[in-house]
Short mmCIF file of all heavy atoms in Angstrom, two decimals:
data_model
loop_
_atom_site.label_atom_id
_atom_site.label_comp_id
_atom_site.label_asym_id
_atom_site.label_seq_id
_atom_site.Cartn_x
_atom_site.Cartn_y
_atom_site.Cartn_z
N THR A 181 44.06 116.67 126.63
CA THR A 181 44.22 116.67 125.18
C THR A 181 45.61 116.20 124.75
O THR A 181 45.78 115.73 123.63
CB THR A 181 43.98 118.08 124.60
OG1 THR A 181 44.82 119.03 125.27
CG2 THR A 181 42.53 118.48 124.75
N LEU A 182 46.57 116.31 125.65
CA LEU A 182 47.93 115.84 125.33
C LEU A 182 48.01 114.31 125.34
O LEU A 182 48.62 113.70 124.47
CB LEU A 182 48.95 116.41 126.32
CG LEU A 182 49.36 117.88 126.17
CD1 LEU A 182 50.25 118.31 127.33
CD2 LEU A 182 50.10 118.09 124.85
N ILE A 183 47.41 113.68 126.35
CA ILE A 183 47.54 112.22 126.48
C ILE A 183 46.64 111.51 125.46
O ILE A 183 45.60 112.05 125.07
CB ILE A 183 47.20 111.75 127.92
CG1 ILE A 183 45.76 112.07 128.28
CG2 ILE A 183 48.17 112.34 128.91
CD1 ILE A 183 45.34 111.56 129.65
N PRO A 184 47.03 110.32 125.01
CA PRO A 184 46.25 109.59 123.98
C PRO A 184 44.99 108.94 124.57
O PRO A 184 44.92 107.73 124.74
CB PRO A 184 47.24 108.55 123.46
CG PRO A 184 48.18 108.32 124.59
CD PRO A 184 48.29 109.61 125.34
N THR A 185 44.01 109.78 124.91
CA THR A 185 42.79 109.27 125.56
C THR A 185 41.96 108.37 124.64
O THR A 185 41.29 107.45 125.10
CB THR A 185 41.92 110.43 126.05
OG1 THR A 185 41.75 111.36 124.97
CG2 THR A 185 42.54 111.14 127.22
N THR A 186 42.00 108.64 123.34
CA THR A 186 41.14 107.88 122.42
C THR A 186 41.49 106.40 122.44
O THR A 186 40.62 105.54 122.66
CB THR A 186 41.26 108.43 120.99
OG1 THR A 186 41.00 109.84 121.01
CG2 THR A 186 40.27 107.75 120.07
N ILE A 187 42.76 106.07 122.20
CA ILE A 187 43.14 104.66 122.19
C ILE A 187 43.09 104.09 123.61
O ILE A 187 42.77 102.91 123.81
CB ILE A 187 44.54 104.45 121.55
CG1 ILE A 187 44.86 102.96 121.41
CG2 ILE A 187 45.62 105.16 122.36
CD1 ILE A 187 43.89 102.19 120.55
N GLY A 188 43.38 104.92 124.61
CA GLY A 188 43.28 104.45 125.99
C GLY A 188 41.87 104.05 126.34
O GLY A 188 41.64 103.07 127.07
N ALA A 189 40.89 104.77 125.80
CA ALA A 189 39.49 104.48 126.09
C ALA A 189 39.00 103.23 125.35
O ALA A 189 38.14 102.51 125.84
CB ALA A 189 38.62 105.67 125.71
N LEU A 190 39.56 102.99 124.17
CA LEU A 190 39.03 101.92 123.31
C LEU A 190 39.86 100.64 123.33
O LEU A 190 39.43 99.62 122.79
CB LEU A 190 38.93 102.42 121.86
CG LEU A 190 37.97 103.60 121.63
CD1 LEU A 190 38.10 104.11 120.20
CD2 LEU A 190 36.54 103.19 121.91
N LEU A 191 41.04 100.67 123.96
CA LEU A 191 41.95 99.52 123.89
C LEU A 191 41.32 98.25 124.43
O LEU A 191 41.38 97.19 123.81
CB LEU A 191 43.24 99.85 124.65
CG LEU A 191 44.35 98.80 124.58
CD1 LEU A 191 44.75 98.54 123.13
CD2 LEU A 191 45.56 99.24 125.39
N SER A 192 40.70 98.35 125.59
CA SER A 192 40.08 97.17 126.19
C SER A 192 38.93 96.66 125.33
O SER A 192 38.78 95.44 125.14
CB SER A 192 39.58 97.49 127.60
OG SER A 192 39.02 96.34 128.21
N ALA A 193 38.12 97.56 124.80
CA ALA A 193 36.99 97.17 123.96
C ALA A 193 37.46 96.45 122.70
O ALA A 193 36.82 95.49 122.25
CB ALA A 193 36.17 98.40 123.58
N ILE A 194 38.58 96.88 122.14
CA ILE A 194 39.12 96.23 120.94
C ILE A 194 39.48 94.78 121.24
O ILE A 194 39.17 93.86 120.46
CB ILE A 194 40.36 96.99 120.41
CG1 ILE A 194 39.96 98.38 119.92
CG2 ILE A 194 41.05 96.21 119.29
CD1 ILE A 194 41.14 99.30 119.65
N GLY A 195 40.15 94.55 122.39
CA GLY A 195 40.54 93.19 122.76
C GLY A 195 39.35 92.29 123.01
O GLY A 195 39.31 91.15 122.56
N ILE A 196 38.37 92.81 123.75
CA ILE A 196 37.16 92.01 124.04
C ILE A 196 36.42 91.71 122.75
O ILE A 196 35.96 90.58 122.52
CB ILE A 196 36.25 92.77 125.02
CG1 ILE A 196 36.94 92.92 126.39
CG2 ILE A 196 34.91 92.05 125.19
CD1 ILE A 196 36.21 93.84 127.34
N ALA A 197 36.31 92.71 121.87
CA ALA A 197 35.58 92.52 120.61
C ALA A 197 36.27 91.50 119.71
O ALA A 197 35.61 90.77 118.96
CB ALA A 197 35.44 93.85 119.88
N GLY A 198 37.60 91.42 119.77
CA GLY A 198 38.33 90.44 118.97
C GLY A 198 37.94 89.03 119.34
O GLY A 198 37.68 88.19 118.47
N MET A 199 37.89 88.75 120.66
CA MET A 199 37.47 87.42 121.11
C MET A 199 36.00 87.18 120.78
O MET A 199 35.60 86.08 120.43
CB MET A 199 37.72 87.26 122.60
CG MET A 199 39.20 87.20 122.97
SD MET A 199 39.48 86.79 124.70
CE MET A 199 38.98 85.07 124.75
N ASP A 200 35.20 88.24 120.90
CA ASP A 200 33.77 88.11 120.62
C ASP A 200 33.53 87.77 119.15
O ASP A 200 32.63 86.98 118.83
CB ASP A 200 33.06 89.42 120.98
CG ASP A 200 31.57 89.35 120.73
OD1 ASP A 200 30.90 88.60 121.46
OD2 ASP A 200 31.09 90.02 119.80
N ARG A 201 34.32 88.35 118.24
CA ARG A 201 34.16 88.03 116.82
C ARG A 201 34.42 86.56 116.57
O ARG A 201 33.75 85.92 115.75
CB ARG A 201 35.10 88.90 115.97
CG ARG A 201 34.54 90.27 115.64
CD ARG A 201 35.32 90.95 114.54
NE ARG A 201 36.67 91.28 114.93
CZ ARG A 201 37.01 92.38 115.61
NH1 ARG A 201 36.07 93.23 115.99
NH2 ARG A 201 38.26 92.62 115.92
N LEU A 202 35.41 86.01 117.27
CA LEU A 202 35.68 84.58 117.13
C LEU A 202 34.52 83.75 117.65
O LEU A 202 34.12 82.76 117.03
CB LEU A 202 36.96 84.21 117.89
CG LEU A 202 38.28 84.27 117.12
CD1 LEU A 202 39.41 83.81 118.02
CD2 LEU A 202 38.25 83.43 115.86
N VAL A 203 33.97 84.15 118.80
CA VAL A 203 32.85 83.40 119.38
C VAL A 203 31.66 83.42 118.42
O VAL A 203 30.99 82.40 118.22
CB VAL A 203 32.46 83.99 120.75
CG1 VAL A 203 31.14 83.40 121.24
CG2 VAL A 203 33.55 83.73 121.77
N ARG A 204 31.40 84.57 117.82
CA ARG A 204 30.28 84.67 116.88
C ARG A 204 30.56 83.87 115.61
O ARG A 204 29.64 83.58 114.84
CB ARG A 204 30.00 86.14 116.55
CG ARG A 204 29.44 86.88 117.73
CD ARG A 204 29.30 88.38 117.50
NE ARG A 204 28.88 88.99 118.75
CZ ARG A 204 27.63 89.06 119.18
NH1 ARG A 204 26.67 88.54 118.44
NH2 ARG A 204 27.33 89.61 120.32
N PHE A 205 31.82 83.55 115.40
CA PHE A 205 32.19 82.71 114.27
C PHE A 205 32.24 81.25 114.70
O PHE A 205 32.72 80.38 113.98
CB PHE A 205 33.56 83.15 113.75
CG PHE A 205 33.85 82.72 112.34
CD1 PHE A 205 33.10 83.20 111.29
CD2 PHE A 205 34.87 81.83 112.07
CE1 PHE A 205 33.37 82.81 109.99
CE2 PHE A 205 35.14 81.43 110.78
CZ PHE A 205 34.38 81.92 109.74
N ASN A 206 31.72 80.99 115.92
CA ASN A 206 31.67 79.64 116.50
C ASN A 206 33.06 79.06 116.76
O ASN A 206 33.28 77.86 116.61
CB ASN A 206 30.84 78.69 115.65
CG ASN A 206 29.40 78.62 116.11
OD1 ASN A 206 29.00 79.35 117.02
ND2 ASN A 206 28.62 77.77 115.51
N VAL A 207 33.99 79.93 117.12
CA VAL A 207 35.32 79.48 117.55
C VAL A 207 35.56 80.03 118.95
O VAL A 207 35.39 81.23 119.19
CB VAL A 207 36.43 79.97 116.60
CG1 VAL A 207 37.80 79.58 117.13
CG2 VAL A 207 36.23 79.40 115.21
N LEU A 208 35.92 79.17 119.87
CA LEU A 208 36.13 79.57 121.25
C LEU A 208 37.62 79.68 121.52
O LEU A 208 38.35 78.69 121.44
CB LEU A 208 35.50 78.53 122.19
CG LEU A 208 35.47 78.89 123.67
CD1 LEU A 208 34.60 80.11 123.91
CD2 LEU A 208 34.94 77.72 124.48
N ALA A 209 38.08 80.90 121.81
CA ALA A 209 39.50 81.12 122.11
C ALA A 209 39.72 81.00 123.60
O ALA A 209 39.02 81.62 124.40
CB ALA A 209 39.93 82.51 121.62
N MET A 210 40.69 80.19 123.97
CA MET A 210 40.97 79.99 125.39
C MET A 210 41.69 81.20 126.00
O MET A 210 41.77 81.33 127.21
CB MET A 210 41.84 78.75 125.59
CG MET A 210 41.16 77.46 125.16
SD MET A 210 39.73 77.09 126.19
CE MET A 210 38.44 77.10 124.97
#
């Protein structure tokens, strides 16, 4: 409960989802 598990658990998903939003917008990020 002391360590920031929430952002630690979601950090990778946020990054992947950011690139995915671009792909769904028909933009491919290298």
Side-chain angles (χ1 to χ4, degrees):
T181 53
L182 284 173
I183 62 176
T185 50
T186 307
I187 186 61
L190 297 173
L191 185 58
S192 182
I194 294 169
I196 295 171
M199 291 188 71
D200 181 68
R201 276 194 294 276
L202 269 182
V203 169
R204 291 173 186 276
F205 200 65
N206 266 5
V207 176
L208 188 63
M210 297 295 119

